[in-house]
Amino acid sequence: MTTQLDNKSIVRRFAEEVFNNGNLAVTAETYAHQDKSEGQYQFLTAVRTAFPDLHCTIEAVVAEGDMVAVRATMTATHVGEWQGMAATGRKISWSLMVFDRLENGKVVEEWENVDRLGIMQQLGAIPQ
């Protein structure tokens, strides 16, 4: 049985390895369901192609029972195509909040709130 501290460590490791180091293989180790793991891998491959210097700064991590909540700030430079938009070279930042439910050391459910409007405004795709 994993503890709240274990669960927090798993989520922190994911942020450090995947977002900051580009080690996408950690997705398979983190998610319990193969389809979620594969979907995350494909999405994160596209993100890291468009934003290769992607960096996650964890602002807070809270755990209760089998749930872990993370508040983070992401930063990146847009140097590759992203959702049909050519690279802008702009350095952007956005907030991210994620709630993960873990079982046996793996994420089984996830809810996230990403400032997608802020991302698109900073990239110039949507007026400020």
Side-chain angles (χ1 to χ4, degrees), residues 31-73:
Y31 290 89
H33 304 292
Q34 185 176 359
D35 60 334
K36 178 66 174 174
S37 173
E38 290 173 3
Q40 281 288 71
Y41 185 89
Q42 291 172 359
F43 174 75
L44 291 166
T45 297
V47 170
R48 290 207 55 90
T49 299
F51 304 97
D53 65 344
L54 180 67
H55 184 81
C56 175
T57 301
I58 293 178
E59 310 292 345
V61 179
V62 178
E64 184 172 327
D66 59 358
M67 296 288 294
V68 177
V70 176
R71 181 175 60 87
T73 301

